[in-house]
Amino acid sequence: MENEHCFHAYIGDGKGKTTCCVGLALRHAGQNGRVLFTQFLKSNTSGELKPLAGIDNITVFLGKPTPKFIFAMTADELAAEKAAQNEYFDAIDRTAVQEHPTMIICDELFSAVETGLIDAARAQEYIERWLKGAEVVATGRNAPENLLALADYVTQMRKIKHPFDRGLPARRGVEF
């Protein structure tokens, strides 16, 4: 892919941020691009992972699953999770250097930044470096100002109505 590289930010409280990333990964791979697909703060059980991993030019690179929501963690669990997320972020960077993907997707990176697990300035440093050779995509409810300013695309998913509001929990194959 010989286009100028851009940074995509998908934010908001609506459903569809990860779904958008999956579609973009498929589109990019369909044009012979090499995708590095990563996810922060997830259980590694989402339904998109297995099919994506089966596509030759998509690398699904996952860290250690996050065992529970950040707000439910003790101080010790939170410190361990911060260390794990930073280790994972460094591993993503090493993988990007080794594999030279033409698209890097960091699903829920903004959530890792918002919860204080990843430093916003460090995230900007990595993204700026990756943009020299790849399209970069990140998601999360809220993005820090420095990353919004860096973004070429900012799309906000806004929830109008969601089944969770009436007590229906996340459903396999739809929300994960």
Side-chain angles (χ1 to χ4, degrees), residues 64-98:
K64 185 180 120 193
T66 301
K68 57 182 162 179
F69 290 112
I70 298 299
F71 65 81
M73 291 184 180
T74 66
D76 287 345
E77 291 170 329
L78 194 57
E81 189 61 30
K82 182 174 184 173
Q85 293 297 318
N86 278 279
E87 206 173 284
Y88 176 52
F89 201 29
D90 289 339
I92 292 168
D93 187 52
R94 287 190 303 274
T95 302
V97 167
Q98 292 168 354

Side-chain angles (χ1 to χ4, degrees), residues 16 20 23-24 35 40 47 49 52 57 60 62 68 80 88 92-93 95 103 105 117 128 153 165 171 175:
C20 186
L24 194 53
V35 180
F40 291 81
L49 300 175
L52 285 174
N57 46 343
V60 175
L62 302 174
K68 57 182 162 179
Y88 176 52
I92 292 168
D93 187 52
T95 302
M103 177 175 280
I105 297 175
L117 299 178
E128 286 175 339
Y153 296 91
D165 297 336
R171 296 167 298 139
E175 280 86 22

